[in-house]
Amino acid sequence: VFNQSFVMSILVAFALGVFGFLLRNLYCEALSADAATATLAKSYLLWFIPALALQFPLVALGSALRATGIIKPTVGLQVLSVVLNIILAPLLIFGIGPWPRLGVTGAALATFISILIADVLMVIYFEKKYHYLRFRFPLFRPRLKIWTKMLHIGVPAGAEFVLLFVYIVIVYGIIRGFGPAAQAGFGVGARVMQALFLPVVALSFAVAPVVGQNFGGRRADRVRHSVYAGIGIAAVMMLVLTFIVWLAPAALIGFFSNDPRVIAFGGDYLRIVSFNFVAAGIVFTTSSVFQGIGNTWPPLISSMARLLLFALPAVLISRTPGFEIKHVWYLSVASQLLQMCINLLLLRRELRKKLNFEGLENLVPGGATAT
């Protein structure tokens, strides 16, 4: 399964890269506020698309480690890639020291280099430090039965990212009329959120294998304890981040831009969406719980519900007189709260159904002899 998942990640990454480059020009020209922004977006995607493709093998290898209960290397390399990105981005954007001044292209190139280094280090870890799962080239030949089983679990989780992409496209399309500063403010704000969410993402990485191992061991009490602990820790972590962001949103945007309009738009975005941080943390954690018990469809259902609640009203209100961009952010908060509620309700139902192990304790595995 390990080797098959790695091969699948490479093939999917290649397909995504080809698809991304084919649609790059159309995407940038359709959503950018002006021609200059479209040109910059094309330059950015030139390196960001390969960087995105490199995420697939990194995630596949990290998931394999988490499945065996090893969390630190995965989280450590993710954090390392973010730190490297933060260090390299200003060097390549502004041409500090011996580094070339590449502007927007430099930001994407910094992301590409950071993820590439994380990929290389992950492969080295498997080859040098970890011997339970190893790369075996004879096992790289595709096996459709294994692929089918992996896709049954993986497709819903992957579809959530597709829905996230649709959400971003809708937002960029709606705020296009407010000019490039609004789009830049949203883009910077989204990247700041991505960095702030690293702790809860790391927590969700840990929740899935812990829940999965206890679920496989038919320890319903430990599964419930893991769920409650994960949700509680996520809520507290995100509540702290909510206060930090709400108090100084403009300062966080100011680290990445000195344009007053970008700071204003980005600051408003962060201040408003910070109200859904706790809900987002709970969504991350509960989605990981679903992965741990082997059912990834409920999070997809909640993501679809969120997108439906957000997309249609957002498009409609964007065409009304007096529309302001902050209306989109408030609607985003409401849709995130809805997703949290749906996730919690579906998780409650799933746990009631899946944690009923009565009568299973005395089952004897095939080939074993009862004593």
Side-chain angles (χ1 to χ4, degrees):
V1 173
F2 166 69
N3 286 276
Q4 291 294 300
S5 65
F6 180 71
V7 171
M8 182 184 290
S9 70
I10 297 296
L11 294 178
V12 172
F14 177 77
L16 174 70
V18 173
F19 185 74
F21 276 111
L22 288 176
L23 295 181
R24 180 172 62 115
N25 291 342
L26 178 63
Y27 172 80
C28 295
E29 292 170 2
L31 296 179
S32 298
D34 52 36
T37 304
T39 301
L40 292 174
K42 293 174 187 177
S43 300
Y44 180 81
L45 290 179
L46 183 65
W47 284 104
F48 185 75
I49 291 174
L52 187 61
L54 286 176
Q55 282 278 17
F56 282 83
L58 183 63
V59 170
L61 296 177
S63 298
L65 284 178
R66 294 198 303 274
T68 60
I70 299 178
I71 310 298
K72 290 183 179 179
T74 303
V75 176
L77 289 176
Q78 288 283 359
V79 172
L80 174 64
S81 67
V82 173
V83 172
L84 285 176
N85 197 358
I86 293 174
I87 295 173
L88 290 175
L91 298 177
L92 293 172
I93 292 173
F94 302 110
I96 300 175
W99 302 88
R101 182 184 178 92
L102 300 177
V104 172
T105 304
L109 181 58
T111 302
F112 173 79
I113 294 173
S114 303
I115 298 176
L116 178 61
I117 291 175
D119 270 301
V120 172
L121 292 177
M122 179 68 83
V123 172
I124 292 175
Y125 178 83
F126 270 92
E127 287 297 307
K128 301 295 184 181
K129 299 290 185 180
Y130 191 61
H131 303 293
Y132 183 71
L133 298 175
R134 302 298 299 271
F135 296 108
R136 295 287 185 266
F137 291 107
L139 299 179
F140 278 14
R141 183 178 180 180
R143 299 184 182 183
L144 296 183
K145 288 186 178 180
I146 296 178
W147 283 33
T148 301
K149 292 180 180 179
M150 289 192 297
L151 289 173
H152 179 72
I153 297 176
V155 165
E160 289 187 66
F161 289 97
V162 175
L163 295 178
L164 178 61
F165 170 76
V166 174
Y167 166 83
I168 294 174
V169 169
I170 292 173
V171 171
Y172 270 114
I174 290 174
I175 67 177
R176 179 183 181 184
F178 290 88
Q183 291 186 324
F186 169 69
V188 173
R191 295 303 293 269
V192 170
M193 281 181 55
Q194 182 182 17
L196 292 175
F197 279 20
L198 275 177
V200 78
V201 170
L203 174 66
S204 67
F205 282 171
V207 167
V210 171
V211 169
Q213 290 169 8
N214 286 293
F215 179 72
R218 297 172 183 170
R219 295 298 303 269
D221 56 332
R222 290 188 177 181
V223 172
R224 291 191 180 93
H225 179 74
S226 301
V227 172
Y228 299 149
I231 291 176
I233 295 172
V236 172
M237 290 168 57
M238 299 308 283
L239 184 61
V240 172
L241 289 177
T242 298
F243 282 116
I244 294 174
V245 172
W246 194 82
L247 290 174
L252 294 172
I253 301 296
F255 280 115
F256 302 93
S257 175
N258 56 7
D259 187 324
R261 295 175 302 168
V262 173
I263 294 175
F265 278 113
D268 284 343
Y269 168 73
L270 279 182
R271 185 177 64 254
I272 295 173
V273 299
S274 66
F275 290 113
N276 71 15
F277 278 12
V278 173
I282 293 175
V283 168
F284 272 115
T285 306
T286 52
S287 296
S288 294
V289 173
F290 281 114
Q291 292 179 19
I293 59 180
N295 186 3
T296 53
W297 288 97
L300 176 60
I301 294 173
S302 67
S303 295
M304 292 176 63
R306 182 197 178 191
L307 183 62
L308 289 175
L309 175 66
F310 172 80
L312 184 59
V315 172
L316 291 177
I317 64 174
S318 67
R319 299 179 179 180
T320 59
F323 168 69
E324 297 182 25
I325 194 172
K326 64 181 180 181
H327 297 158
V328 178
W329 312 144
Y330 284 123
L331 188 58
S332 177
V333 171
S335 64
Q336 183 77 80
L337 291 173
L338 172 70
Q339 184 180 11
M340 178 195 69
C341 293
I342 294 176
N343 260 26
L344 289 173
L345 289 173
L346 292 177
L347 180 60
R348 181 183 180 185
R349 175 179 176 273
E350 193 74 9
L351 292 179
R352 284 181 174 179
K353 182 173 64 174
K354 290 288 186 70
L355 297 186
N356 184 15
F357 297 132
E358 293 182 6
L360 297 179
E361 289 81 358
N362 297 324
L363 291 179
V364 180
T369 302
T371 57

